[in-house]
Amino acid sequence: MTRPRSSLAHQASYALRHPHKVIPHLRRLARDTWLRLHSRDHIAYYRAVMRSDTARSPEGAVGSHTHKRWLALGQMQFDYLLEHGLKPECRMLEIGCGNLRAGRLFIDYLHTGNYYGIDISPDILMAAQDTVADHGLRDKLPHLTPVRDLRFAFLPDEHFDVVHAHSVFSHSPLEVIDECFAHVGRIMRPGGWFDFTFDRTEGKEHQVLREDFYYRTETLVRLAGQYGLDAVFMDDWERTPHKQSKIRVTRRA
Ligand SMILES: C[S@@+](CC[C@H](N)C(=O)[O-])C[C@H]1O[C@@H](n2cnc3c(N)ncnc32)[C@H](O)[C@@H]1O
């Protein structure tokens, strides 16, 4: 069984194999500890992490350390969804849309006004506006909205054909995912689906710096089931070079 990344043994052996990463990790640890002590809950904490990361580089803040990777990661998400049912007439909600790494492609493909991006970080949403302008997408009138939770209280019943969350639950404690599952069924159209990625572990569930969370597939499938949602592990996503896994959720008939 692999050791959780949070274990001392894992961290010591990782440090020996990658000595150049030790100082940046310690810097991140110090910053994150400070931010956590000054935040009332996980969302406020993660919003502060995003503020700090976005100030340095919006593309880095969503996890891409080069522009080439930013383009490739967006394309990968887009191609997969296109092969798995996305049509121009779909109404799409993207949870944690970031600076539209994939969103720019969804916006371009969908009919005008059919893309709705939400995020807890106002800073990354401002970077998302730059992406809209830089990629000539103004006429598509995407909605970009800051949120403080995943209750979707301001969104209408049975509205979205597709809900998408890439690399969001990998940064979320279980109570945030629970809140999302409790409410997402209401805004999904019958026959609609919700795809999300997560950091999968086959061992003990754990987190690193309260930034990265690792779950077992069965934990998320069971949780979805508690809210009348059927969850299916997407095997073919495992063939992509992306490190996370993907689950598709539908409303139970
Ligand atoms: C790693 S980035 C990925 C962004 C985008 N999905 C992509 O693939 O480029 C994670 C994004 O999710 C947002 N986020 C994290 N937790 C969230 C939550 N509970 N609700 C909404 N957005 C969240 C972050 O602010 C950040 O923009």
Side-chain angles (χ1 to χ4, degrees):
M1 197 197 295
T2 50
R3 278 189 299 248
R5 285 152 197 83
S6 52
S7 77
L8 218 54
H10 173 89
Q11 291 186 9
S13 103
Y14 189 84
L16 285 173
R17 280 179 287 123
H18 307 276
H20 62 287
K21 292 196 174 172
V22 173
I23 298 292
H25 179 80
L26 290 177
R27 243 187 248 128
R28 198 158 188 108
L29 175 66
R31 182 204 65 174
D32 285 5
T33 305
W34 195 89
L35 292 178
R36 220 167 34 242
L37 289 173
H38 292 83
S39 304
R40 67 183 174 284
D41 58 20
H42 173 80
I43 297 296
Y45 160 65
Y46 204 72
R47 186 179 289 130
V49 168
M50 285 300 291
R51 161 159 277 201
S52 161
D53 286 352
T54 304
R56 220 169 297 136
S57 151
E59 294 187 355
V62 299
S64 293
H65 297 296
T66 64
H67 185 59
K68 200 169 154 208
R69 283 295 292 161
W70 187 82
L71 293 172
L73 256 291
Q75 194 69 49
M76 186 194 304
Q77 297 176 49
F78 178 73
D79 291 346
Y80 187 85
L81 209 46
L82 218 61
E83 283 164 20
H84 290 76
L86 188 70
K87 297 277 180 284
E89 60 274 19
C90 286
R91 292 200 287 228
M92 177 175 187
L93 173 69
E94 190 164 36
I95 299 172
C97 61
N99 70 337
L100 304 178
R101 185 165 57 169
R104 74 187 172 90
L105 298 167
F106 295 135
I107 291 166
D108 194 29
Y109 176 75
L110 296 173
H111 288 169
T112 299
N114 278 14
Y115 177 89
Y116 216 111
I118 60 174
D119 205 290
I120 53 168
S121 166
D123 298 272
I124 203 70
L125 286 174
M126 284 188 236
Q129 291 177 1
D130 294 338
T131 302
V132 170
D134 293 348
H135 289 81
L137 297 167
R138 297 180 186 98
D139 292 346
K140 284 298 187 103
L141 278 177
H143 306 266
L144 298 171
T145 305
V147 291
R148 54 174 170 253
D149 58 45
L150 289 179
R151 301 166 79 86
F152 316 114
F154 62 102
L155 293 171
D157 290 359
E158 301 196 341
H159 186 76
F160 293 102
D161 303 283
V162 182
V163 182
H164 192 246
H166 182 95
S167 277
V168 181
F169 290 172
S170 44
H171 303 295
S172 302
L174 202 59
E175 60 269 22
V176 170
I177 303 175
D178 184 290
E179 179 181 74
C180 179
F181 286 168
H183 298 278
V184 74
R186 179 184 66 76
I187 60 167
M188 286 165 67
R189 290 179 75 170
W193 69 88
F194 170 26
D195 283 0
F196 64 84
T197 61
F198 66 107
D199 272 325
R200 181 164 57 90
T201 180
E202 299 284 315
K204 196 171 178 306
E205 297 185 340
H206 58 282
Q207 53 82 22
V208 179
L209 299 179
R210 302 287 297 166
E211 276 203 45
D212 300 309
F213 293 78
Y214 293 79
Y215 296 109
R216 295 174 68 87
T217 304
E218 52 271 32
T219 299
L220 301 181
V221 169
R222 202 180 317 116
L223 189 62
Q226 286 172 18
Y227 294 103
L229 302 168
D230 287 323
V232 174
F233 186 81
M234 302 299 267
D235 281 308
D236 59 353
W237 175 261
E238 300 292 303
R239 287 200 288 272
T240 67
H242 198 254
K243 282 189 305 201
Q244 296 181 12
S245 293
K246 195 185 278 273
I247 283 179
R248 172 163 289 191
V249 159
T250 50
R251 277 171 44 170
R252 200 168 291 148

